Amino acid sequence: MGKLTDRLDRPIVLVGLMGAGKSTVGRRLAKRLGLPFIDTDAAIADAAGYSAAEIFDRYGEADFRDGERRLVARLIDDEVKVIATGGGVFVDPRTRKLLNERAITVWLDAPVDVLADRTARRDTRPLLRNGDPKGTLERLAKDRGPSYAEAHIRITSGAGAHHDVVESIVSALESHLDGAAKP
């Protein structure tokens, strides 16, 4: 694995809808590659003293997204690492452009049924507190899909083992770097 990590010159940023596995897979990917891991929602909560959901509720989505954008810009400016982002980060055109220029972006794409099952386990998602979480996820998948599709790499994350998703990402990173090295 040292060979892949030696070739990385920028962070790996996981994007996708809530419940796609960005945090869980990100932690495992970072361990597999021997890299640091950062979850942007946790970093925001540490800085603000409130959970991401509480910030969202107290100050609204616009303020939350603004803080998220500033944090992401800082995180991609230093060492190579794995970063799991919140579901809305990559939707903002400025943030998407910045991430695609200065990181390797990986879209974890999961079916809505899988997302609905995973997100139903905890009530920590402000956008899903509306009585129709599956409908909201379907709408978000449709609305955000074109933005996520601009990521460098797309990995399908279903109900299978996280280990398999990590291995798919590692293979895709190898291919991406091989393609980037060609003139």
Side-chain angles (χ1 to χ4, degrees), residues 140-164:
L140 289 171
K142 182 180 178 214
D143 293 349
R144 294 179 176 181
S147 296
Y148 295 147
E150 292 184 31
H152 297 119
I153 297 168
R154 179 180 182 178
I155 299 292
T156 301
S157 168
H162 290 115
H163 170 79
D164 295 338

Side-chain angles (χ1 to χ4, degrees), residues 96-137:
R96 185 170 58 252
K97 182 178 186 297
L98 179 71
L99 288 173
N100 276 337
E101 288 173 353
R102 304 208 332 238
I104 299 172
T105 53
V106 179
W107 173 20
L108 291 185
D109 185 15
V112 170
D113 287 338
V114 171
L115 299 173
D117 180 56
R118 288 179 182 167
T119 57
R121 298 175 193 163
R122 291 179 299 169
D123 182 30
T124 58
R125 319 282 182 158
L127 291 176
L128 299 182
R129 294 179 180 158
N130 63 3
D132 183 19
K134 185 174 179 187
T136 299
L137 287 165

Side-chain angles (χ1 to χ4, degrees), residues 15-123:
V15 302
L17 283 173
M18 59 189 101
K22 299 179 302 286
S23 297
T24 303
V25 168
R27 271 188 212 83
R28 292 175 185 219
L29 178 64
K31 184 176 181 181
R32 168 87 160 75
L33 298 175
L35 295 173
F37 171 75
I38 296 181
D39 182 298
T40 60
D41 284 347
I44 289 169
D46 287 347
Y50 300 109
S51 72
E54 289 172 320
I55 297 166
F56 206 97
D57 290 342
R58 285 176 184 243
Y59 302 104
E61 184 173 5
D63 281 354
F64 178 81
R65 298 291 177 216
D66 186 51
E68 192 175 49
R69 181 175 37 258
R70 290 191 314 265
L71 172 70
V72 167
R74 282 195 311 272
L75 290 176
I76 61 171
D77 258 353
D78 54 12
E79 67 186 326
V80 175
K81 62 177 84 67
V82 176
I83 302 169
T85 63
V89 165
F90 210 62
V91 176
D92 179 82
R94 293 173 296 169
T95 306
R96 185 170 58 252
K97 182 178 186 297
L98 179 71
L99 288 173
N100 276 337
E101 288 173 353
R102 304 208 332 238
I104 299 172
T105 53
V106 179
W107 173 20
L108 291 185
D109 185 15
V112 170
D113 287 338
V114 171
L115 299 173
D117 180 56
R118 288 179 182 167
T119 57
R121 298 175 193 163
R122 291 179 299 169
D123 182 30

